[in-house]
């Protein structure tokens, strides 16, 4: 009863603030937009007049920023510093810092540049500003540190930003760029293939005669890799020759790894590789054997034992290769070869237990499953199914605190989020929210902000807030039941599990109805316009506009129809349908086993696209969580993940038209 009473107080407070927000002067909002318009038209007196009327308006800082930006180079250092002090750690501060720093470069004020650069918290990731900083350090007498920074910026596979020219020139004049370093950068560029070839040719012109000859030979090998294996110039043990031969081997292996093996076995007669170079060759063959599903993949991977060249990618590749071949002893062996930190990851705990179980060690496997089953994630649910234990839905609600909620609502940043949302400037609003959570609030207050966002119906911001601060246990915030009537209605009409529909929505958009992906997918269920057009034909309805796809009811109606289509085509298998929803049905069909059936957990682990593999794992886990949230009868994850059949027809004529939409 006390909890309900607190919730009522909380809602009353929030509704009061919401009503205040609604009652904000429409005139202020109009004046704000008019001021922006006046500045764009260079009507500066009008702009200043309107700006001065808005000093108490929440978006006043945006007008201050616009005014500051207008003639940044003419402003004093003190005015810029005042702005950064008044509005610290926010998107506007970030923009002012970036604009001001570039202005200081144009003015040649390197001492000021270094001072303001070191105040920043994001722009260090920008290459041009990093290069200017290195040059500022050089000009300010910190040459050793400047040249160390220059080397890091220089050693990349591509041409760097023109802003780097001055520091690179100074570093070169000091003798910093050796021929060995030049070859190393050249090699990085050549390994990028066609993408790096042009820059590699530029680098070769700066080489001494001997290295330039090696570079010219490498250019010839790019056109015809086979000539490397018979070229007398590659006799001996020069490291440049080894680089060229390993490049040619990789090109050959891409086409036919069997032929590449023959080439490799004959190479010792031409070139004397050192041990690390030999290991790199074995790794190339092992990698492409795995990609091409060669029967000797595991034998070849066993030949790669130099830890200095076994990177994260290769570690994962050989483990997945062992799973593909059902070699459980190698799954166990290669998990044991991982670092202690990696061995503690849920994914490898699960597969280690599976390997032990398959090799007749059920007690050891069960002990791992038992520990893992307490985790509320994909591998925790799978582990629970292996031992028949209940799922763990550990929940720790963010405590209700009307006082905290009021203080959150009173923050200037939150007021700006309200106004920007009101003006439909959602990108700006989301940036303000991101800075609030990540730079302005301590963790407990950030949780309260997430709860506040959830209460206000800002589900996406609430979910992302909990993710940013790694607060995992308030399921009501992280897995909202928004649009429940629509989801239940559409799921029932199409014979879909509503928990699965919710899992798709949660992963696709995190309940941001205005979501728009870089590829053009729209709305809650992230529909591509082309896919929506195809679905509209199936539903015999008018093709919805892009704007209509942002309407939850329309988006869920069409998205669930598409899910139903995927299920109908893919043997009513939710794992396959989930993969198809993300990557396209043609890819899901292409990934099916060729001959025998395969356990679904193994099939998911072998999905070649990292994004789709992660997507399927999350959606299946979210489905179990939403099953709990909807208070449905428990259907085990293992029941949803029956073995993947090889018998599905591989070119569905009804779905071929959808290929172009993914």
């Amino acid at each position: 009863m006390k909890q309900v009473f607190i919730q009522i107080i909380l809602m009353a407070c929030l509704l009061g603030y919401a009503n205040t927000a609604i009652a904000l002067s429409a005139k202020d909002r109009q004046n704000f937009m008019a001021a922006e318009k006046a500045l764009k038209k260079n009507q500066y007196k009008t702009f200043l007049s309107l700006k001065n009327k808005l000093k108490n308006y929440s978006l006043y800082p945006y007008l201050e920023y616009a005014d500051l930006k207008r003639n940044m180079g003419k402003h004093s250092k003190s005015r810029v510093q005042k702005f950064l002090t008044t509005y610290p750690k926010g998107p506007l501060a970030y923009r002012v810092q970036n604009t001001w720093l570039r202005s200081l470069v144009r003015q040649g004020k390197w001492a000021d540049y270094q001072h303001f650069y070191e105040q920043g918290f994001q722009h260090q990731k920008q290459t041009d500003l990093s290069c200017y900083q290195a040059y500022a350090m050089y000009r300010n007498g910190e040459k050793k540190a400047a040249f160390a920074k220059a080397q890091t910026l220089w050693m990349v596979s591509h041409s760097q930003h023109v802003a780097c020219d001055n520091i690179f020139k100074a570093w070169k004049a000091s003798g910093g760029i050796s021929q060995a370093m030049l070859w190393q950068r050249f090699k990085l560029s050549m390994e990028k293939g066609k993408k790096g070839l042009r820059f590699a040719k530029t680098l070769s012109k700066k080489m001494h005669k001997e290295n330039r000859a090696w570079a010219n030979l490498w250019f010839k090998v790019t056109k015809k890799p086979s000539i490397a294996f018979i070229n007398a110039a590659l006799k001996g043990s020069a490291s440049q020759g080894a680089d060229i031969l390993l490049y040619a081997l990789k090109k050959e292996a891409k086409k036919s790894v069997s032929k590449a093996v023959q080439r490799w076995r004959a190479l010792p007669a031409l070139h004397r590789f050192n041990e690390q170079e030999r290991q790199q060759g074995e790794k190339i063959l092992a990698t492409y054997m795995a990609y091409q599903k060669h029967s000797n993949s595991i034998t070849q991977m066993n030949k790669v034992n130099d830890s200095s060249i076994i990177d994260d990618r290769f570690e994962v590749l050989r483990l997945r290769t062992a799973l593909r071949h059902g070699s459980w002893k190698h799954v166990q062996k290669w998990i044991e070869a991982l670092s202690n930190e990696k061995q503690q990851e849920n994914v490898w705990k699960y597969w280690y237990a599976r390997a032990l179980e398959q090799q007749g060690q059920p007690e050891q496997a069960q002990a791992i499953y038992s520990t893992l089953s307490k985790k509320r994630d994909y591998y925790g649910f799978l582990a629970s199914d292996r031992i028949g234990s209940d799922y763990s839905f550990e929940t720790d609600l963010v405590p209700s605190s009307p006082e905290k909620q009021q203080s959150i609502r009173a923050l200037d940043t939150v007021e700006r989020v309200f106004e920007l949302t009101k003006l439909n400037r959602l990108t700006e609003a989301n940036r303000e929210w991101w800075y609030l959570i990540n730079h302005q609030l301590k963790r407990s207050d950030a949780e309260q902000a997430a709860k506040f966002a959830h209460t206000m119906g800002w589900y996406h911001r609430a979910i992302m807030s909990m993710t940013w601060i790694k607060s995992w246990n308030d399921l009501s915030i992280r897995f909202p039941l928004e649009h429940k009537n629509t989801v239940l209605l559409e799921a029932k009409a199409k014979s879909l599990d509503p928990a699965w529909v919710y899992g798709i929505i949660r992963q696709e958009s995190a309940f941001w109805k205005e979501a728009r992906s870089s590829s053009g997918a729209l709305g809650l269920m992230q529909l591509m316009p082309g896919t929506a057009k195809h679905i509209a034909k199936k539903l015999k309805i008018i093709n919805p506009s892009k704007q209509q796809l942002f309407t939850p009811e329309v988006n869920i109606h069409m998205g669930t129809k598409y899910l139903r289509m995927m299920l109908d085509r893919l043997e009513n298998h939710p794992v396959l349908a989930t993969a198809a929803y993300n990557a396209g049905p043609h890819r899901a069909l292409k990934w099916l086993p060729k001959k025998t059936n395969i356990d679904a957990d193994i099939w998911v682990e072998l999905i070649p696209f990292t994004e789709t593999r992660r997507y399927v794992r999350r959606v299946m886990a979210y489905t179990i969580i939403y099953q709990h949230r909807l208070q449905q009868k428990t259907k085990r994850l293992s029941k949803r993940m029956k073995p993947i059949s090889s018998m599905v027809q591989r070119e569905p004529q009804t779905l071929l038209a959808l290929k172009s939409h993914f």
Side-chain angles (χ1 to χ4, degrees):
M1 188 69 186
K2 182 178 179 182
Q3 180 73 11
V4 173
F5 181 67
I6 291 173
Q7 289 288 346
I8 291 171
I9 293 175
L10 174 60
M11 287 301 297
C13 293
L14 295 178
L15 285 172
Y17 278 117
N19 289 333
T20 302
I22 294 170
L24 276 172
S25 171
K27 189 173 182 181
D28 279 353
R29 202 170 289 133
Q30 290 171 357
N31 283 340
F32 173 77
M33 292 187 286
E36 287 186 321
K37 189 175 181 180
L39 193 62
K40 284 182 181 179
K41 292 183 176 181
N42 290 319
Q43 298 170 349
Y44 191 59
K45 287 184 178 180
T46 302
F47 168 77
L48 284 180
S49 175
L50 290 166
K51 176 189 164 190
N52 289 333
K53 295 177 183 178
L54 295 168
K55 289 185 177 180
N56 295 322
Y57 180 53
S58 60
L59 297 186
Y60 178 77
Y62 282 78
L63 298 179
E64 275 280 89
Y65 165 72
D67 192 10
L68 197 61
K69 181 183 176 184
R70 181 172 174 267
N71 287 304
M72 184 66 81
K74 296 180 180 180
H75 295 306
S76 66
K77 180 169 62 174
S78 60
R79 183 176 175 187
V80 173
Q81 187 65 65
K82 181 181 178 182
F83 184 94
L84 295 175
T85 303
T86 306
Y87 310 111
K89 296 185 177 180
L92 294 180
Y94 168 62
R95 291 184 204 172
V96 166
Q97 285 164 337
N98 277 267
T99 307
W100 178 240
L101 286 171
R102 289 181 172 85
S103 173
L104 292 173
V105 169
R106 289 191 293 272
Q107 298 174 68
K109 296 181 177 179
W110 298 109
D112 287 344
Y113 184 96
Q114 188 169 353
H115 168 74
F116 278 95
Y117 182 92
E118 291 170 356
Q119 285 188 13
F121 48 88
Q122 258 202 346
H123 53 248
Q124 291 92 332
K125 297 177 183 177
Q126 297 184 45
T127 301
D128 61 333
L129 294 181
S130 293
C131 283
Y132 286 137
Q133 168 66 350
Y135 189 63
M137 293 165 68
Y138 168 76
R139 290 291 299 269
N140 296 331
E142 300 176 25
K143 292 185 178 181
K144 185 176 181 181
F147 291 156
K149 192 175 181 72
Q151 181 172 343
T152 301
L153 290 161
W154 183 84
M155 190 58 74
V156 292
S157 64
H158 54 273
S159 177
Q160 278 289 31
H161 195 282
V162 66
C164 301
D165 289 353
N166 285 337
I167 186 60
F168 287 168
K169 184 178 179 180
W171 180 44
K172 181 182 178 181
S174 73
I177 303 176
S178 67
Q179 284 295 302
M181 290 170 65
L182 198 57
W183 180 264
Q184 186 181 351
R185 191 180 187 191
F186 171 81
K187 180 181 171 183
L188 289 174
S189 299
M190 291 301 292
E191 288 172 348
K192 288 291 182 180
K194 290 181 180 179
K195 194 175 179 181
L197 187 58
R198 184 175 178 180
F199 182 59
K201 288 181 177 179
T202 300
L203 289 173
S204 70
K205 295 174 184 177
K206 301 175 183 179
M207 294 177 177
H208 292 167
K209 184 177 179 180
E210 181 184 355
N211 276 355
R212 191 159 60 247
W214 285 115
N216 289 332
L217 175 57
W218 198 332
F219 294 143
K220 292 177 183 178
V221 170
T222 62
K223 298 176 181 177
K224 192 175 182 181
S226 60
I227 66 171
F229 302 110
I230 56 173
N231 196 302
L234 293 171
K235 285 186 177 180
S237 59
S239 62
Q240 297 95 325
D243 291 338
I244 294 169
L245 284 167
L246 291 172
Y247 171 90
L249 182 70
K250 186 175 181 178
K251 289 290 183 183
E252 193 78 49
K254 280 184 178 180
K255 294 180 180 178
S256 169
V257 73
S258 297
K259 191 172 182 179
V261 169
Q262 295 175 3
R263 297 280 200 191
W264 177 246
R265 301 306 172 216
L267 271 180
L270 176 67
H271 187 89
R272 295 191 301 278
F273 293 98
N274 64 34
E275 182 57 23
Q276 188 177 65
E277 292 164 350
R278 189 188 68 77
Q279 278 283 289
Q280 287 171 340
E282 300 291 0
K283 180 184 174 184
I284 288 169
L285 296 178
T287 298
Y288 284 95
M289 280 186 174
Y291 289 162
Q292 296 169 28
K293 302 174 186 176
H294 195 283
S295 59
N296 290 332
S297 297
I298 290 179
T299 300
Q300 181 62 35
M301 284 187 160
N302 271 321
K303 295 179 181 179
V304 183
N305 46 45
D306 182 348
S307 60
S308 68
I309 66 167
I310 298 176
D311 53 17
D312 293 347
R313 188 173 180 179
F314 188 74
E315 285 180 332
V316 172
L317 179 63
R318 67 183 182 182
L319 278 163
R320 292 199 172 113
T321 300
L323 286 173
R324 184 185 301 282
H325 289 271
S327 181
W328 294 103
K329 69 177 183 180
H330 283 98
V331 173
Q332 179 181 351
K333 172 185 173 181
W334 286 330
I335 289 176
E336 289 173 349
L338 297 173
S339 67
N340 290 334
E341 183 180 358
K342 289 178 184 175
Q343 287 183 43
Q344 296 308 308
E345 294 175 10
N346 290 350
V347 54
W348 303 127
K349 279 186 176 182
Y350 175 76
W351 288 113
Y352 191 71
R354 285 276 268 130
L356 293 175
E357 185 179 27
Q358 292 291 328
Q359 295 178 93
Q361 301 178 60
E363 291 182 2
Q364 295 93 320
Q366 187 162 13
I368 297 172
Y369 287 142
S370 180
T371 300
L372 196 54
S373 69
K374 296 177 176 60
K375 302 292 184 180
R376 191 189 56 244
D377 65 5
Y378 174 75
Y379 293 105
F381 296 147
L382 286 177
S384 294
D385 284 358
R386 302 300 295 188
I387 59 176
S389 66
D390 292 338
Y391 292 145
S392 174
F393 293 108
E394 178 187 357
T395 301
D396 184 13
L397 298 177
V398 174
S400 294
S401 173
E403 296 81 7
K404 282 284 187 182
Q405 297 287 293
Q406 289 181 52
S407 64
I408 293 291
R409 178 60 185 89
L411 292 172
D412 290 342
T413 302
V414 175
E415 186 58 50
R416 288 196 292 273
V417 172
F418 265 99
E419 276 299 282
L420 289 166
T421 301
K422 186 74 175 178
L423 291 169
N424 202 33
R425 300 185 182 185
L426 300 179
T427 300
E428 297 278 12
N430 289 337
R431 282 177 185 157
E432 289 278 3
W433 191 264
W434 184 89
Y435 278 97
L436 173 73
I437 300 300
N438 289 282
H439 292 288
Q440 297 177 25
L441 299 179
K442 61 184 182 181
R443 179 186 167 87
S444 60
D445 288 343
E447 285 184 326
Q448 288 295 325
K451 192 175 187 71
F452 171 80
H454 178 83
T455 305
M456 295 307 301
W458 299 343
Y459 301 110
H460 173 259
R461 289 171 190 153
I463 290 168
M464 297 312 298
S465 298
M466 298 294 271
T467 301
W468 294 331
I469 62 175
K470 295 181 170 53
S471 179
W472 309 119
N473 292 329
D474 191 327
L475 299 187
S476 65
I477 295 177
R478 294 190 61 229
F479 298 93
L481 293 172
E482 179 66 356
H483 313 299
K484 185 175 180 180
N485 290 339
T486 302
V487 169
L488 293 178
L489 181 67
E490 296 293 350
K492 183 177 181 180
K494 299 173 181 75
S495 300
L496 298 173
D497 183 347
W500 183 46
V501 175
Y502 262 123
I504 294 284
I505 294 172
R506 174 62 169 76
Q507 175 58 25
E508 286 288 348
S509 66
F511 293 89
W512 188 19
K513 65 180 181 180
E514 296 91 357
R516 184 193 299 264
S517 76
S518 57
S519 62
L522 306 173
L524 287 172
M525 297 188 75
Q526 287 291 274
L527 292 170
M528 293 291 288
T531 303
K533 183 178 180 180
H534 181 84
I535 296 168
K537 277 187 179 181
K538 289 285 182 183
L539 292 171
K540 297 180 180 180
I541 61 174
I542 297 174
N543 184 34
S545 66
K546 288 183 179 180
Q547 196 58 39
Q548 287 173 320
L549 288 176
F550 290 123
T551 304
E553 291 76 14
V554 173
N555 198 280
I556 294 171
H557 179 56
M558 304 198 78
T560 50
K561 174 62 178 177
Y562 187 59
L563 277 178
R564 183 69 259 172
M565 290 166 62
M566 296 298 99
L567 275 179
D568 289 344
R569 185 60 199 90
L570 296 164
E571 294 189 329
N572 210 40
H573 202 306
V575 171
L576 294 177
T578 300
Y581 197 92
N582 175 257
H586 57 296
R587 292 196 181 98
L589 289 163
K590 182 181 178 181
W591 298 333
L592 290 174
K594 304 296 182 186
K595 297 178 182 179
T596 59
N597 294 355
I598 184 173
D599 289 348
D601 59 349
I602 295 177
W603 186 85
V604 170
E605 213 64 47
L606 298 180
I607 292 174
F609 289 4
T610 301
E611 178 195 332
T612 304
R613 186 167 59 248
R614 186 183 297 124
Y615 180 94
V616 172
R617 290 193 301 225
R618 287 179 178 173
V619 168
M620 299 312 295
Y622 293 168
T623 299
I624 297 301
I625 293 171
Y626 269 108
Q627 176 181 260
H628 170 73
R629 292 277 290 128
L630 290 165
Q631 299 181 335
Q632 293 178 333
K633 182 179 179 181
T634 300
K635 182 178 181 180
R636 309 291 298 197
L637 184 55
S638 57
K639 295 296 183 182
R640 300 171 185 273
M641 296 181 65
K642 61 185 180 181
I644 306 294
S645 170
S646 62
M647 301 304 291
V648 180
Q649 180 186 338
R650 292 180 180 276
E651 280 297 338
Q653 296 301 316
T654 57
L655 295 182
L656 283 177
L658 289 176
K659 283 187 178 182
S660 62
H661 303 317
F662 286 85

